Amino acid sequence: MSEGGGAVDDQQEPSTRERILAAAAAILGEDGATARLSVRAVAARAGVSVGSLRHHFPTQQDLRDEVMRRVLDWMMPRSSIGDRSVPPRDRLVQCLLDVLDLSGTGAQAREAMATMTSTFITAEQTASVREAYLAAQRDGQRRTEGWLRALAEECAIPAEDIPRRARFLGTVLDGLSLQRAMPAVDSLTQVESEALLAAADVALAPADRDG
């Protein structure tokens, strides 16, 4: 109770898990996406014990995966994948466009691709670099699988084939992201639309049509 018998302040301290995530995100924000998330450094910054951190995140990859998920949740528009007033194909294409738009267009896309190259390709292939790349890759796969699962009943997609179809869509997005960064053409709206519609048709093909 507050002084004078007032109501208890409903503002609560962040949970241990949230403090750990905030500390890890701060380190990545300061030192870059491939910064090493030392268990001791993260725990010290969060004000928790190493054992407590390990309880919530048994491995560094678990911690990095969750930070990546939170960051992209914040960056991505709210998905309308469950809106059945819109055809499934159109809903999936919009979700894919939302991902593609994270890299921007023209000069912005080229800068994003240059950063990606220097961060993950030309950089020394340390464990932290690998962990950061795999975290982003797993998050993309998880999101795309989620969209396909949301559409599976409507489109008769076999559940066991969703991971494969999600990987296919991820490959399409990788190619279109690279194309956006090419200097010859800055406006690719028509090309992207046709490519994403074709990819959605393949990914949503029912079991009896899918080879």
Side-chain angles (χ1 to χ4, degrees), residues 65-79 81 92 95-96 98-99 102 135-151 162 166-167 169-170 173:
D65 282 353
E66 182 61 15
V67 173
M68 179 63 68
R69 185 186 72 79
R70 295 290 186 91
V71 169
L72 290 179
D73 278 348
W74 175 73
M75 294 175 63
M76 289 279 290
R78 187 174 180 84
S79 172
I81 197 71
L92 179 58
C95 288
L96 297 172
D98 288 342
V99 174
L102 292 177
Q137 187 179 54
R138 274 193 293 270
D139 190 78
Q141 177 74 10
R142 178 185 63 81
R143 288 173 191 277
T144 310
E145 286 185 19
W147 297 331
L148 293 179
R149 279 194 296 271
L151 300 173
I162 285 177
R167 285 192 295 272
L169 290 175
L173 287 176

Side-chain angles (χ1 to χ4, degrees), residues 18-41:
E18 293 302 317
R19 287 182 6 234
I20 293 169
L21 288 171
I27 290 172
L28 294 180
E30 293 167 2
D31 300 334
T34 59
R36 181 170 177 266
L37 292 179
S38 160
V39 172
R40 292 188 181 279

Side-chain angles (χ1 to χ4, degrees), residues 101-117:
D101 284 344
L102 292 177
S103 63
T105 58
Q108 186 180 13
R110 287 190 282 279
E111 183 179 354
M113 188 57 66
T115 299
M116 182 74 69
T117 300

